[in-house]
Amino acid sequence: METLLREYFPILVFLAIAGAISIAMVAASLIAARQRPNTEKLSPYECGFDPFGDARVRFDVRYYLVAILFIIFDLEVAFLFPWAITFGELGWFGFWSMMVFLGVLTVGFVYEWRKGALEWD
């Protein structure tokens, strides 16, 4: 267990340094930059026009379906690469567990297809 923790120590150091640098940059911009907001800077901006509607409008359900579709394919790609690299070591159990995973994703894809999320008006 100790060797495993020793292998992850450089990652912890990297994250600590990255966090310290980002905090230092935000603090430096707050200290060094001029903080003089006016009404033009604080006004909402929408494609060069004044806002013409309320921001609290209900979105169409298809927006959420497209978001679910993105998550489905994003998860698939995120899990397929490590699986493909270690495919030889996993054996049949790894193969069938990935087939179950892809089956669940296919069910989600078919659900979106039937709901009409892939058809644009």
Side-chain angles (χ1 to χ4, degrees):
M1 182 69 174
E2 191 173 308
T3 58
L4 181 67
L5 292 176
R6 200 174 305 136
E7 290 178 7
Y8 281 105
F9 183 70
I11 296 173
L12 180 65
V13 171
F14 175 77
L15 289 174
I17 291 172
I21 289 173
S22 62
I23 289 172
M25 290 177 132
V26 169
S29 71
L30 288 175
I31 293 170
R34 288 182 267 158
Q35 305 291 328
R36 296 184 195 158
N38 57 20
T39 56
E40 285 295 319
K41 287 184 180 179
L42 295 177
S43 67
Y45 182 75
E46 194 172 298
C47 301
F49 300 104
D50 290 330
F52 50 83
D54 188 20
R56 295 176 191 91
V57 194
R58 287 186 170 210
F59 286 103
D60 192 9
V61 174
R62 283 180 280 175
Y63 172 78
Y64 299 109
L65 292 176
V66 169
I68 290 172
L69 186 65
F70 171 76
I71 290 172
I72 287 172
F73 287 114
D74 192 41
L75 280 176
E76 182 179 357
V77 169
F79 285 117
L80 275 178
F81 282 119
W83 175 77
I85 291 172
T86 60
F87 180 69
E89 301 170 14
L90 296 176
W92 286 105
F93 176 74
F95 174 76
W96 287 113
S97 61
M98 183 53 75
M99 291 303 116
V100 168
F101 175 71
L102 291 175
V104 170
L105 290 179
T106 304
V107 167
F109 179 70
V110 169
Y111 170 76
E112 290 224 15
W113 194 342
R114 296 234 173 145
K115 286 292 183 178
L118 302 177
E119 297 172 8
W120 298 100
D121 294 331

